[in-house]
Amino acid sequence: MKNRPLLMIPGPIEFDPDVLAALGAPTASHVAPNFIEEFGQALERLREVFLSEDGQPFILAGSGTLAMDSPAANLIEPGDRALAVNTGYFGDRYGDILQRYGAEVTHVRADAIGGRPTLDAVAQALDAADYKLMTITQVDTSTAVLTDVEALAGLAADRGVLVVVDGVCSIAGEELRMSDWGVDVALTASQKAVGVPPGLALFVASQRALEAWRSRTTPVLNYYADWGNWLPIMEAYEARRPSYFGTPPVNLIRALNVSLGQILAEGMGARFARHEQVGRAFQAALAALGLGQVPTDPTIAAHTLTAPTYPEGIGGGDLLPRIKEAGAILAGGLHPEIKQTYFRIGHMGATDQADTLATIAAVEAGLAAAGYAFEPGAGVSAALHVFTGAPQPQA
Ligand SMILES: *Cc1c(COP(=O)(O)O)cnc(C)c1O
C-alpha cells in the first residue's frame, strides 16, 4: 500500500502492475498480427484456467451480467424449464435473465439466507419436472456462500440437464474443473479473480452446450450475444486469422492475456490452495474478533470473499469509513433482505498474506475507533496462525 487504501471489495480488485501496463500501451488494430496472436493465446489460456479440455472459450466486451445473459439467450427457447440453485442475489438475477428468454424458472433455495439447498432438495427438484438447464452460483457475492458445484453438476448430468455455473465471484480463485465435473457453461468477468479491470465477459461452453444451441428451432432472442455471431470470431482468432463482428476491446484483451499468463504460471492447484488459505485466515480472524458472518456454517463459506456481520450497535455508515481511514476499502451488504446487517471483504486474485494481514489490521483499527471492545491484534494473530501453521502456497 503506497498512497492509497487497499481495494478489498468483491470486484474490482487490486490489479497487477503488468496487467495495468498492458492497458496503457498504444492500441493496436484489432486485425494486427501481434494482437491476433495475443487474442488467440488468451482464448487458449482461458480454456486452461477453466480446466476445460475441449470447451469453446468466448471473450466479449461486457460485464459479468453479459456473461450470464449470453448462455441464457443461446440455450433457452420459449417454454423450456430451468432450475436455479439459489444462494442469494445472483441466483435471483439468473432466474430473471432466463425468464426474459421465455424459460419457466423454478428456484431451489436454502431454508435461510446464508444457507444452501441440500443435494437431496436439488435432486428432488430435478426429478419433479423435465428441465433443460440448471444454473448454479458457485459463490454468491451477496451471501459469501460457496456451493458444491461438483456434486450439483453430477446430479444434473445424471438427468441429462445442462449445467451453467455463474463463477463470476469464484473462477480463478475457487476450484472449478469444467471437464472433470461435467459443467456445460462456466462464466466470469474480468474484474474479479481473473484480475483485469472491468469490461470483459468471459465464458467457456462445452461441446454439449454448443450442440444444444445448434439444435434450437427458434432464433436466439438477443443479437449482440448470439453465439452465431461470435463463434466464428473466436474460432478465427484461435486459428490466428483476422476476423470481425464487433470491435474487440483490444487493450483489455491484451491485459487479459497478461493476467491469464500469470495465473497459469502460478498453477491452478497452487492458486486454489492460496485462495483457500487466505479465506481460512479471514475466517479465523473474524472468529477471534467475535464477529459473526452471513454463511450459516463456516464449511460453506467462500474463500474469495468474506461476509462478516456488524457487531451489536455498530453500523456500516460508522464502521466502513473508519476501516477505509485505516487502509482498506471494503463493501457494504448486497442482499436486499439483510443489507444493513453485514459487510463484505473481497480477497481474490493477487491478495496475499501481506494484504490479508493489512486488511485485518484495518478492520481492527476501524472496530476500535467505532468503540467495539476486543483484544487488539487478536484477528491478525489468528490469521497469521493460519499462514504459519499451514503449508505455504507454491509460487
Ligand atoms: C459480480 C457478479 C456478477 C455480475 O457481474 P457484473 O460484472 O457486475 O455484471 C454476477 N454474478 C456474480 C456471482 C458476481 O459476483
Side-chain angles (χ1 to χ4, degrees):
M1 183 170 48
K2 295 288 178 273
N3 304 310
R4 57 181 183 83
L6 282 171
L7 182 59
M8 300 297 290
I9 66 173
I13 63 169
E14 289 284 335
F15 300 119
D16 184 274
D18 290 345
V19 172
L20 294 176
L23 281 177
T27 302
S29 157
H30 61 290
V31 291
N34 61 341
F35 176 66
I36 293 172
E37 175 57 31
E38 287 169 286
F39 197 158
Q41 196 169 50
L43 288 161
E44 289 162 358
R45 287 175 169 173
L46 201 62
R47 190 183 286 114
E48 285 184 62
V49 166
F50 281 54
L51 294 162
S52 165
E53 273 153 31
D54 62 352
Q56 174 59 51
F58 289 82
I59 299 173
L60 304 184
S63 81
T65 305
L66 176 70
M68 298 170 75
D69 191 275
S70 179
N74 285 274
L75 295 176
I76 290 295
E77 296 189 69
D80 284 342
R81 288 180 195 276
L83 189 72
V85 179
N86 189 316
T87 47
Y89 177 90
F90 288 106
D92 288 342
R93 175 172 296 185
Y94 226 145
D96 290 346
I97 294 171
L98 294 162
Q99 228 158 7
R100 186 65 64 93
Y101 294 113
E104 285 181 41
V105 181
T106 304
H107 291 267
V108 205
R109 298 170 199 269
D111 296 337
I113 296 170
R116 60 186 196 187
T118 63
L119 292 177
D120 275 352
V122 175
Q124 270 179 31
L126 281 168
D127 287 335
D130 189 14
Y131 290 104
K132 177 169 192 186
L133 175 155
M134 178 172 95
T135 63
I136 306 166
T137 315
Q138 189 173 21
V139 169
D140 200 295
T141 322
S142 72
T143 55
V145 169
L146 173 69
T147 52
D148 185 347
V149 171
E150 184 177 13
L152 291 166
L155 294 177
D158 289 347
R159 292 159 174 86
V161 176
L162 292 167
V163 178
V164 176
V165 176
D166 172 356
V168 181
C169 197
S170 55
I171 288 174
E174 302 283 358
E175 181 174 15
L176 183 99
R177 299 181 181 276
M178 240 191 114
S179 289
D180 287 355
W181 295 358
V183 171
D184 292 297
V185 180
L187 63 98
T188 188
S190 50
Q191 77 274 18
K192 303 215 181 166
V194 168
V196 179
L200 294 176
L202 308 169
F203 55 95
V204 176
S206 72
Q207 293 302 323
R208 201 160 71 118
L210 292 177
E211 209 40 61
W213 163 69
R214 284 194 187 98
S215 51
R216 292 177 66 98
T217 56
T218 59
V220 171
L221 296 173
N222 181 318
Y223 183 71
Y224 182 78
D226 189 338
W227 292 352
N229 290 326
W230 290 111
L231 182 60
I233 310 305
M234 301 302 143
E235 288 174 337
Y237 274 99
E238 198 169 345
R240 309 301 195 265
R241 282 187 281 108
S243 192
Y244 170 75
F245 169 66
T247 308
V250 171
N251 291 56
L252 273 170
I253 291 173
R254 292 179 127 172
L256 173 70
N257 192 37
V258 172
S259 192
L260 294 175
Q262 291 174 348
I263 290 168
L264 292 170
E266 180 177 14
M268 297 315 295
R271 196 169 174 91
F272 299 148
R274 177 167 60 80
H275 280 81
E276 197 190 318
Q277 189 179 47
V278 165
R280 283 195 290 113
F282 274 102
Q283 294 287 321
L286 291 182
L289 293 171
L291 299 193
Q293 54 170 323
V294 176
T296 52
D297 188 305
T299 61
I300 63 167
H303 306 103
T304 47
L305 90 152
T306 302
T309 51
Y310 295 117
E312 195 71 37
I314 295 176
D318 185 20
L319 183 60
L320 296 183
R322 295 183 194 274
I323 295 175
K324 180 181 173 194
E325 186 68 24
I329 297 172
L330 306 184
L334 177 64
H335 195 294
E337 287 170 51
I338 54 167
K339 211 172 157 62
Q340 305 304 330
T341 67
Y342 74 108
F343 60 106
R344 297 176 301 150
I345 310 169
H347 33 84
M348 288 172 259
T351 303
D352 59 8
Q353 178 177 325
D355 298 332
T356 303
L357 297 176
T359 302
I360 295 166
V363 170
E364 290 198 22
L367 285 168
Y372 179 63
F374 65 102
E375 175 65 31
V380 172
S381 168
L384 198 50
H385 186 84
V386 171
F387 285 116
T388 55
Q392 293 298 321
Q394 301 126 35

